Amino acid sequence: MGKGTDKLYITHSEWASSDAYSASAGSNVSARAPSNGKFKRLPFNFCAASLQPFKHPVCTADGTIFDVEVISAWLSKHGTNPVTGMPLKEKDLIKLTFARNGDTDANKSDVQGGGRGGDGDGGEMIDPVTFKVFTDNTHIVAIRHGTEANVFAWDTVERLNIKAKMWRDLVDDREFSRPDIITLQDPQNIESRDLSKFKFLKDGETILNKDQEDERKRGSVNIDALGRVGDKVLRAREAVDKARRERETGGDVNRTKAPAKPSGTSTPRPTMHQEKKLAYNAAQYTTGKAAASFTSTGLTPETSGERALLSDEEYMLKPKRVKIKGYARIETNFGSLNVELQTETAPRAVWNFCQLAKKGYYKGVRFHRNIKNFMIQGGDPTGTGKGGTSIWGKNFQDEFDGPLTHDARGVVSMANKGKNTNSSQFFITYRPAKHLDRKHTIFGRVVGGLDVLSKLENVPVAGDRPIDEIVIEDVIVFLDPFEEFQKQKTEKDAKEIEKEKIIRQGGTEDDRTTWTGKRVRGDGTVVQNESAGGVGKYLKAARTKGSGGAVDVTTGDWPRDELQEEPSKKKVKSGDFGNFDSW
């Protein structure tokens, strides 16, 4: 019946999940449920308009209770019932008289207090005959006499008036008839007090009583307690109210009266606040010193929200931070199993397993449970399956973020006794077990010694306990992923420190030389005349060389003795008459 199991019941979490199935409603019940399915019920001693405890209760002919001040202000503006939207007049309202258990005389129960038992208004509202205290589950009725009515419990009226056929009020002995009985609250019909059906709430309107309106006008600041500062607060509030009125009338609050002067081009000013480089192990939350010093005079004031620093262990145990796989060997009296540890998806489980193994915790521990074609479980020093502690001395959380599933033989997972109860026990599967997914943290798999795993599976058992003891002789960690991570991080930090040191000293030799061989000064300028090497050294050598056949690289002239005279051009004879300019 359960999801993926042979249980004959469905747990609460399965029923509440998104893929829950109902025999009457079908599958995906919770996803198809309306988003506004929460029922909100108005208490019996609350005004249906202000949604606050009433002080002077009145009701309508259908039993809706209001406070007389609130409903009078509403009727003067709208003239309708705020709950139903039907027309309503003040003469239709009926004054209610509640008896209270603090009154000495039931006939003097004319104090209409709203609080249930508090406020010094005479105590809790009760039935004046049986003195039964009214609750949200009491059937309450009112017996009408013109424009007023006494309030009773329905059980009292039914037993002493209706069944006895005595149609007289039990408080003031006035006559009444069956139509004069008004139901104020019926536990069997709670739709009349369903807040989601109130018309004024659907329309988005709010109804405030006199105290609420005065409080809204005063605001949330106690001006009297501020002393001289209170005047400044009042002026600031008046300025805000004035700006709000201007904005409502269409004015631009941010526009000044005088025209703005055009500002010239100005260079941006450098910020005075220097951003502090975050530490590699900075947490996502602060130390809380600023908040603590703000609320306590015994602490030194702190004005910056400084990030809290994680320890090396907390830093490494974040999921997907250490991506190096670990390797360990579980040596038993039947052979050895080589296990690959999945550090990226289950860092806490891998850290716990490695630290317990290095500590020698698993030496001599037996596999106390062995079920053929399912799994073998161990890691409990007591051998009962009820013991074992983690490296932290307490249970640690499950880790289900990764894509790993119990989809093959040789999957290594943490054994637990419920949600977030991992300790030292683990198990190795003999076959795929998909029903264990997201219930047990997978932190490894067997990559060597599958023949030994077959031997362990074939060990005879009594129930699920091996007859021949299967003992863990030792667990050897070949590659600790966390030590390797720390080693790589140390090397990386050393390189960063060396790089920063070189930058402070002006950079390397390559950084201080251009590609043409010219050196760069500390201020960034290039040295033009330099006797150092580079491409220019060949030009300089040619310039200083004094051989006769050398060319002068500064002027580009050759020696005069090597210059040859240009041969004279031959005159071209033409067969025409020539030029007649001299004629």
Side-chain angles (χ1 to χ4, degrees):
M1 184 174 181
K3 295 193 292 185
T5 65
D6 55 354
K7 295 182 299 185
L8 298 180
Y9 59 91
I10 296 178
T11 63
H12 172 72
S13 59
E14 292 174 342
W15 181 260
S17 61
S18 60
D19 56 345
Y21 181 84
S22 171
S24 59
S27 61
N28 207 13
V29 177
S30 58
R32 292 187 288 106
S35 58
N36 56 353
K38 291 185 178 181
F39 173 76
K40 292 184 179 180
R41 179 182 179 183
L42 181 70
F44 77 94
N45 63 328
F46 274 53
C47 171
S50 64
L51 307 182
Q52 298 293 325
F54 51 69
K55 292 184 179 180
H56 306 284
V58 293
C59 74
T60 60
D62 59 356
T64 305
I65 304 177
F66 300 100
D67 192 285
V68 65
E69 294 182 357
V70 178
I71 192 62
S72 298
W74 172 269
L75 292 177
S76 62
K77 296 180 180 179
H78 301 84
T80 59
N81 190 328
V83 175
T84 61
M86 302 298 294
L88 181 66
K89 299 179 180 180
E90 288 193 21
K91 64 179 182 180
D92 298 332
L93 299 177
I94 305 168
K95 179 183 176 182
L96 297 177
T97 302
F98 282 89
R100 294 180 176 272
N101 56 11
D103 296 334
T104 57
D105 186 1
N107 292 328
K108 296 181 181 180
S109 60
D110 203 16
V111 180
Q112 284 84 13
R116 218 181 298 180
D119 304 336
D121 291 336
E124 298 173 316
M125 286 177 278
I126 60 172
D127 180 85
V129 178
T130 62
F131 300 102
K132 180 180 178 181
V133 178
F134 291 156
T135 65
D136 290 334
N137 298 318
T138 305
H139 192 167
I140 305 173
V141 296
I143 297 180
R144 178 177 181 177
H145 301 289
T147 59
E148 60 181 6
N150 294 323
V151 181
F152 298 89
W154 165 254
D155 296 339
T156 302
V157 175
E158 183 183 28
R159 185 171 68 252
L160 300 180
N161 291 110
I162 298 176
K163 290 185 178 180
K165 297 183 179 179
M166 198 275 292
W167 299 98
R168 286 187 174 274
D169 194 306
L170 298 174
V171 172
D172 52 19
D173 201 34
R174 287 185 289 181
E175 292 186 359
F176 69 95
S177 59
R178 186 65 178 262
D180 293 330
I181 301 177
I182 302 173
T183 301
L184 302 180
Q185 176 179 263
D186 185 2
Q188 304 299 326
N189 182 21
I190 58 178
E191 292 184 358
S192 61
R193 307 189 69 83
D194 186 2
L195 291 176
S196 62
K197 297 183 179 180
F198 285 12
K199 186 178 185 302
F200 75 98
L201 292 179
K202 291 181 179 180
D203 297 340
E205 299 185 25
T206 57
I207 305 175
L208 303 179
N209 55 29
K210 185 177 180 181
D211 295 338
Q212 290 175 327
E213 291 179 355
D214 295 341
E215 184 179 356
R216 174 171 290 186
K217 291 179 181 178
R218 291 195 307 267
S220 59
V221 181
N222 188 357
I223 303 297
D224 299 332
L226 295 178
R228 287 180 292 180
V229 183
D231 297 335
K232 297 182 180 179
V233 175
L234 288 176
R235 288 196 297 269
R237 183 182 297 169
E238 291 175 358
V240 172
D241 293 339
K242 181 180 179 182
R244 184 180 293 112
R245 289 192 298 269
E246 290 181 1
R247 184 170 59 250
E248 290 176 355
T249 56
D252 191 352
V253 180
N254 298 321
R255 181 170 297 174
T256 59
K257 302 298 182 181
K261 296 181 179 179
S263 58
T265 305
S266 60
T267 58
R269 296 178 61 184
T271 178
M272 300 299 294
H273 178 69
Q274 299 294 332
E275 290 291 340
K276 185 178 179 181
K277 184 179 180 182
L278 286 178
Y280 73 94
N281 57 344
Q284 296 296 327
Y285 50 88
T286 63
T287 57
K289 291 182 180 179
S293 64
F294 181 74
T295 56
S296 174
T297 58
L299 298 177
T300 304
E302 293 283 345
T303 58
S304 62
E306 184 179 356
R307 293 280 190 93
L309 298 181
L310 303 175
S311 63
D312 290 340
E313 179 180 330
E314 293 174 337
Y315 175 74
M316 290 189 299
L317 295 187
K318 292 291 183 181
K320 298 182 180 180
R321 177 154 290 162
V322 180
K323 300 184 179 181
I324 305 171
K325 296 183 183 295
Y327 293 92
R329 183 173 64 200
I330 304 176
E331 297 179 350
T332 68
N333 54 341
F334 284 83
S336 299
L337 299 172
N338 295 331
V339 179
E340 181 184 70
L341 304 176
Q342 307 293 335
T343 318
E344 184 176 359
T345 55
R348 288 184 175 273
V350 174
W351 172 273
N352 177 67
F353 182 79
C354 292
Q355 297 303 316
L356 291 178
K358 292 181 179 180
K359 188 179 175 182
Y361 186 86
Y362 292 119
K363 284 186 178 180
V365 176
R366 296 173 298 171
F367 283 99
H368 60 274
R369 192 179 181 198
N370 188 16
I371 302 176
K372 190 173 183 179
N373 201 30
F374 181 34
M375 62 90 198
I376 181 171
Q377 182 176 339
D380 179 13
T382 64
T384 61
K386 300 179 180 180
T389 57
S390 68
I391 192 63
W392 299 284
K394 60 181 180 180
N395 297 335
F396 61 94
Q397 298 178 348
D398 297 323
E399 296 170 298
F400 299 144
D401 293 338
L404 302 179
T405 58
H406 298 81
D407 58 351
R409 178 182 177 89
V411 175
V412 185
S413 298
M414 295 298 299
N416 58 41
K417 50 188 176 183
K419 186 178 180 180
N420 299 327
T421 57
N422 302 296
S423 56
S424 63
Q425 297 188 40
F426 62 92
F427 64 89
I428 306 174
T429 60
Y430 289 139
R431 68 174 181 86
K434 301 292 289 184
H435 64 282
L436 300 180
D437 292 346
R438 304 194 67 79
K439 295 181 180 179
H440 296 271
T441 300
I442 302 174
F443 69 96
R445 63 187 182 94
V446 177
V447 294
L450 292 176
D451 55 336
V452 178
L453 192 63
S454 300
K455 294 179 183 179
L456 301 180
E457 185 178 9
N458 295 324
V459 172
V461 295
D464 60 358
R465 200 169 191 85
I467 298 177
D468 300 332
E469 289 189 352
I470 306 174
V471 182
I472 300 176
E473 297 177 350
D474 196 5
V475 177
I476 301 174
V477 180
F478 290 124
L479 177 61
D480 189 337
F482 301 101
E483 289 184 357
E484 190 68 19
F485 176 79
Q486 289 179 336
K487 181 180 177 182
Q488 293 180 2
K489 187 179 179 305
T490 303
E491 295 176 354
K492 182 179 179 181
D493 293 343
K495 291 181 180 178
E496 290 290 336
I497 294 173
E498 184 67 23
K499 185 177 180 180
E500 291 179 359
K501 182 179 179 182
I502 293 173
I503 292 175
R504 286 196 302 269
Q505 294 177 353
T508 61
E509 185 67 25
D510 291 339
D511 295 334
R512 294 193 295 266
T513 308
T514 65
W515 67 276
T516 59
K518 296 179 180 179
R519 296 182 62 81
V520 182
R521 297 191 182 95
D523 59 356
T525 59
V526 180
V527 180
Q528 298 295 337
N529 297 325
E530 182 69 37
S531 59
V535 178
K537 64 182 181 180
Y538 301 107
L539 300 177
K540 295 168 187 175
R543 183 166 35 195
T544 56
K545 190 174 181 181
S547 60
V551 66
D552 190 351
V553 295
T554 58
T555 61
D557 298 335
W558 289 85
R560 293 183 180 275
D561 54 353
E562 295 188 6
L563 293 176
Q564 298 179 0
E565 295 182 358
E566 185 179 356
S568 58
K569 297 181 180 180
K570 295 181 179 180
K571 296 181 179 180
V572 182
K573 295 180 178 181
S574 59
D576 54 1
F577 293 99
N579 190 0
F580 298 95
D581 293 339
S582 59
W583 287 20

